[in-house]
Amino acid sequence: MAVGLSAAATTAAQAAVPEQAGPFWPGNLLSMNNADFENGPGDWQAISNISALTTGTDAFLHDHSLKIVAAAAGTSVIQLAGTGGIEIRVNPNGKSDTYRVGAYIKMPAKSGHTTEFDLGCYDASGTWLGWYDGDPVTNNSDGTWQWAEDQIKLPSNCTHVQGSPRVQFTGMHSGGFIYMDEAWFAPERAALLIGAYAPN
């Protein structure tokens, strides 16, 4: 999958930021609250062109999903914990690793929508390295749930991401609903989990 480096928003070193509170599913770098939305929208924040960010009962799995309402026509953007972000460690072996980023998405029943996942990188000293952008995934036009995913390769000097994932939804109209559920952010591996897991 192609990866692009967009212009850095800032080059200043960032102050210490909080980490996610568990629990976590095995393999997922997003906590259950930030992936499954059964207890609210978690740490996700509206960045642009969003009039409401709540939870809805239209869910792919379980009872709730993240509900995003577009404020106007155009692109709507959310980020995990906003621009300051929650720090998520990556590239633990100091190598350039590829990460899977995805979610189940439900968009309005019309053509022209895409979903894009991006990761914002910092090095060990906290210096901003820039956005590493995924490719836009074309959403279906029938208004049903679909899995959207990209693989994003991060440079070896990227030790952590913040404000990430960033998710951009294009082709929105004013008041249009977007639903997101079962979000995933994990190293790309041949097998993530073998066997059974019961969180309780």
Side-chain angles (χ1 to χ4, degrees), residues 13 87 89 121-129 157-160 162:
E87 182 175 301
R89 308 299 293 181
C121 278
Y122 292 82
D123 67 14
S125 67
T127 299
W128 171 247
L129 301 177
N157 62 333
C158 177
T159 60
H160 61 281
Q162 288 177 212

Side-chain angles (χ1 to χ4, degrees), residues 64-148:
H64 297 90
S65 66
L66 186 66
K67 181 179 180 180
I68 303 141
V69 183
T75 300
S76 297
V77 181
I78 62 173
Q79 283 180 236
L80 186 67
T83 54
I86 284 175
E87 182 175 301
I88 300 177
R89 308 299 293 181
V90 295
N91 294 338
N93 298 317
K95 298 178 180 179
S96 180
D97 289 340
T98 298
Y99 286 81
R100 296 175 57 223
V101 191
Y104 282 96
I105 305 293
K106 186 175 181 180
M107 303 281 270
K110 65 184 290 288
S111 60
H113 295 299
T114 67
T115 300
E116 177 182 310
F117 302 98
D118 311 316
L119 298 173
C121 278
Y122 292 82
D123 67 14
S125 67
T127 299
W128 171 247
L129 301 177
W131 284 105
Y132 285 75
D133 299 343
D135 289 327
V137 177
T138 299
N139 294 101
N140 62 37
S141 59
D142 60 7
T144 59
W145 286 99
Q146 76 175 88
W147 177 253

Side-chain angles (χ1 to χ4, degrees), residues 15 28 40-41 87 136 139 177 188:
N28 196 350
E87 182 175 301
N139 294 101
F177 293 169
E188 184 181 40

